[in-house]
Each structure stands twice: as structure tokens, then as C-alpha cells.
């Protein structure tokens, strides 16, 4: 078995991941695509369209991602474009387990099940996308690197805080 070639993380990087081969990025915009390629979004890579980047350790994010946390970025809806597959999205929303009582609606690809984004009734006009759906992995390391972690009191003990990232108990409130 041969060793994998090192990856140059200082420039755009589109690894073999999923079925789509048409993701792209430039200095101002990029794409996010589901695993099967049926759904693709276009978004800005900086403000004012990118509102924030964060990791969430809440119970809902852990459960809905089947992982120990979710890596997210928020986009103002007026800057988010559905390139293809909007009709292929299935929505599921509920408020029972959301700490704020807001309804959180999840938008999944109905073909492959990829969670493309979440929308909270408490933050109208904004969508919460998953960093892992972004086609250019270079952006995961640069412009979309999380700036904070929330619900850190629920982080599993074997996972350490991110270096240089604001640590927040519970949900983030920009007014505090």
C-alpha cells in the first residue's frame, strides 16, 4: 500500500469526494455540493454574505450529523444561490429539542441524504451550511475556519478545544 501524496493546503484543493466533479471557487465565491451531486449551492466566501463560522457540540448537531460535532458557516440568504437541485431537497423541522425553542428546519438531499443547510426561526434571513459540503477543501482551512465553538460543555472529553477559537457555553449570543 503506497502512502498518500501530501496535500498543498495553501491553494484550492478539490479531492475525489462524492459524485459531482463541477465544484469551483474563486476569490469571492464557491460551491457546496451534496455527496451525489444532485444539489449544489453557490455562496460568497467572505462578508457581508458570510455571517460567521463555528463548531457546535449541541445534542441536535451531534445527532443530525452522526458525529460528535458540526462544523458550520452562516450565510445571509440574499447571498445564497441554489445552482441546482432545490426541488431535490427534503425539509424536516422541529423545535422540541432546540434549547431556544425556535424551530430548526433541516434541508437534506432526498437522493443521498446529505444535510445541506439548516434554517432557524430565530434567525430569519440566514441559512446555516455545513463546512464539509464545500467543494474546495482549501476553504475549510482558510476563509471558513471556525471562529468559535458553542455548547462546549457538551463536547466529548476526548476532543480538545480548537486553538485560538472563542469558547462559548450554550448557544452564542452576539449581544453578550
Amino acid at each position: 500500500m503506497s502512502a498518500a501524496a501530501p496535500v498543498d493546503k495553501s491553494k484550492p484543493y478539490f479531492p475525489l469526494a462524492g459524485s459531482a466533479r463541477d465544484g469551483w471557487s474563486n476569490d469571492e465565491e464557491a460551491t457546496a455540493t451534496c455527496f451525489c451531486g444532485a444539489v449544489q449551492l453557490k455562496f460568497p466566501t467572505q462578508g457581508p454574505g458570510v455571517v460567521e463560522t463555528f463548531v457546535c457540540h449541541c445534542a441536535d448537531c451531534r445527532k443530525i450529523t452522526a458525529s460528535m460535532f458540526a462544523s458550520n458557516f452562516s450565510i445571509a440568504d440574499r447571498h445564497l444561490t441554489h445552482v441546482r437541485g432545490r426541488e431535490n431537497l427534503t425539509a424536516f423541522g422541529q423545535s422540541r429539542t432546540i434549547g431556544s425553542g425556535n424551530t430548526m428546519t433541516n434541508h437534506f438531499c432526498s437522493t443521498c441524504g446529505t444535510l445541506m443547510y439548516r434554517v432557524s426561526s430565530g434567525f430569519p434571513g440566514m441559512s446555516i451550511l455545513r463546512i464539509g459540503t464545500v467543494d474546495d477543501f482549501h476553504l475549510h482551512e482558510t476563509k471558513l475556519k471556525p471562529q468559535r465553538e458553542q455548547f462546549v460543555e457538551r463536547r466529548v472529553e476526548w476532543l480538545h478545544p480548537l486553538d485560538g477559537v472563542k469558547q462559548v457555553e450554550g448557544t452564542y449570543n452576539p449581544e453578550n
Side-chain angles (χ1 to χ4, degrees):
M1 186 170 195
S2 63
V7 174
D8 182 356
K9 295 182 179 181
S10 68
K11 60 184 180 182
Y13 170 56
F14 296 85
L16 181 61
S19 298
R21 296 286 169 259
D22 62 346
W24 55 268
S25 70
N26 60 39
D27 286 341
E28 297 178 10
E29 295 180 315
T31 56
T33 309
C34 68
F35 191 71
C36 73
V39 178
Q40 188 173 66
L41 308 171
K42 179 177 77 170
F43 62 91
T45 59
Q46 54 204 6
V50 174
V51 178
E52 61 181 338
T53 60
F54 62 101
V55 167
C56 185
H57 300 279
C58 81
D60 279 358
C61 280
R62 287 171 63 167
K63 195 66 150 176
I64 201 134
T65 61
S67 185
M68 295 294 97
F69 60 89
S71 53
N72 310 290
F73 64 107
S74 299
I75 296 288
D77 287 342
R78 68 184 178 277
H79 297 276
L80 182 62
T81 302
H82 288 78
V83 176
R84 67 171 174 265
R86 186 176 210 149
E87 69 287 349
N88 205 49
L89 290 171
T90 298
F92 169 76
Q94 62 93 26
S95 62
R96 189 172 59 87
T97 62
I98 309 299
S100 64
N102 294 322
T103 297
M104 185 68 78
T105 303
N106 304 284
H107 297 265
F108 299 90
C109 172
S110 62
T111 303
C112 67
T114 301
L115 174 57
M116 294 303 295
Y117 57 92
R118 303 181 89 191
V119 177
S120 171
S121 63
F123 297 98
M126 188 172 14
S127 293
I128 304 165
L129 282 70
R130 299 300 192 211
I131 294 173
T133 63
V134 175
D135 297 314
D136 182 354
F137 279 34
H138 169 68
L139 295 173
H140 302 185
E141 303 277 348
T142 57
K143 293 181 177 183
L144 298 177
K145 180 181 174 189
Q147 299 301 306
R148 69 175 161 82
E149 286 187 82
Q150 66 182 32
F151 287 99
V152 296
E153 71 279 9
R154 296 199 179 149
R155 180 176 43 229
V156 293
E157 290 183 16
W158 48 261
L159 187 64
H160 302 285
L162 296 174
D163 289 337
V165 173
K166 181 179 175 106
Q167 304 294 303
V168 179
E169 288 193 15
T171 191
Y172 176 68
N173 182 350
E175 313 228 337
N176 290 339

